Amino acid sequence: MKPRHRRFAWIGAGLVALGVAVALVLNAFQSNLVFFFTPSQVIAREAPTARPFRIGGLVEQGSLERDPNSLTVHFRVTDTAQTIPVTYTGLLPDLFKEGKGVVAQGTLAPDGSFHATEVLAKHDENYMPPAAKDAIEQAHKTKAMTMSSMK
C-alpha cells in the first residue's frame, strides 16, 4: 500500500471514529434531556406520555396525604389554573410544604396522575425558576381571560 493510500485510510478511520463518538454523545444527551411543563400544559396534552418530564408549580393547600405504612405521599401540584395529582415514594425534601413551590420529575400515568421519581422543593421563599414564574403568570392571564369572556 502506498503511503498516500495509507494516509487516506487513517483519515477515513479517524472520521468514522469521530462520527461514532458524536453519535454516542448526542444519544446520551437526548436520553437525559428532561423538559419542564406546568399542570395547564399537561392537561392540554403538551407533555410527553412515553418519557419522563418535570412538572412544576405550587403544592395545593390541603392536598398532602401520607400513607401510614410506607413512604408514599400523594399531593396535588397547581399553577392556579389547573391541578395534577402526584404520587411519590421516598423521602421528601425538608422544605417541602403545602403552598410552596415544587418541581417533580417522573412520568404521566394513563389515568392522568403523575408518578414522580424525584421531588425538588424550592430553596428560598423569594426565588422561583423563571420558567415556573412565567408559566404561573401565563396561567393567571389565561384564567382571567376565560373568566372575563364568560361574563
Side-chain angles (χ1 to χ4, degrees):
M1 185 185 285
K2 292 183 181 180
R4 183 177 190 189
H5 292 112
R6 193 176 312 137
R7 191 174 329 129
F8 282 133
W10 279 108
I11 290 173
L15 289 174
V16 168
L18 182 63
V20 168
V22 167
L24 290 173
V25 167
L26 290 176
N27 186 28
F29 181 71
Q30 176 127 9
S31 298
N32 292 322
L33 192 61
V34 180
F35 291 103
F36 175 87
F37 294 93
T38 63
S40 293
Q41 291 173 316
V42 173
I43 297 288
R45 302 197 185 281
E46 296 176 21
T49 55
R51 56 181 293 176
F53 64 92
R54 288 184 176 175
I55 186 169
L58 302 172
V59 179
E60 192 173 65
Q61 290 286 349
S63 70
L64 183 61
E65 298 174 9
R66 298 178 189 268
D67 285 350
N69 299 325
S70 70
L71 294 176
T72 302
V73 179
H74 305 278
F75 58 94
R76 290 187 303 272
V77 175
T78 183
D79 60 1
T80 67
Q82 298 291 335
T83 302
I84 297 288
V86 178
T87 301
Y88 174 68
T89 301
L91 297 174
L92 290 170
D94 291 336
L95 297 175
F96 182 88
K97 292 182 179 134
E98 292 178 346
K100 299 293 182 180
V102 67
V103 175
Q105 181 173 327
T107 55
L108 195 60
D111 65 357
S113 66
F114 188 79
H115 293 275
T117 56
E118 184 179 9
V119 173
L120 307 169
K122 71 178 190 178
H123 55 73
D124 180 18
E125 206 169 280
N126 300 320
Y127 174 76
M128 182 175 290
K133 184 177 181 181
D134 292 343
I136 289 176
E137 288 174 1
Q138 182 64 33
H140 281 294
K141 289 177 187 175
T142 304
K143 187 175 181 182
M145 289 173 60
T146 304
M147 296 298 265
S148 66
S149 67
M150 294 176 87
K151 291 180 181 180

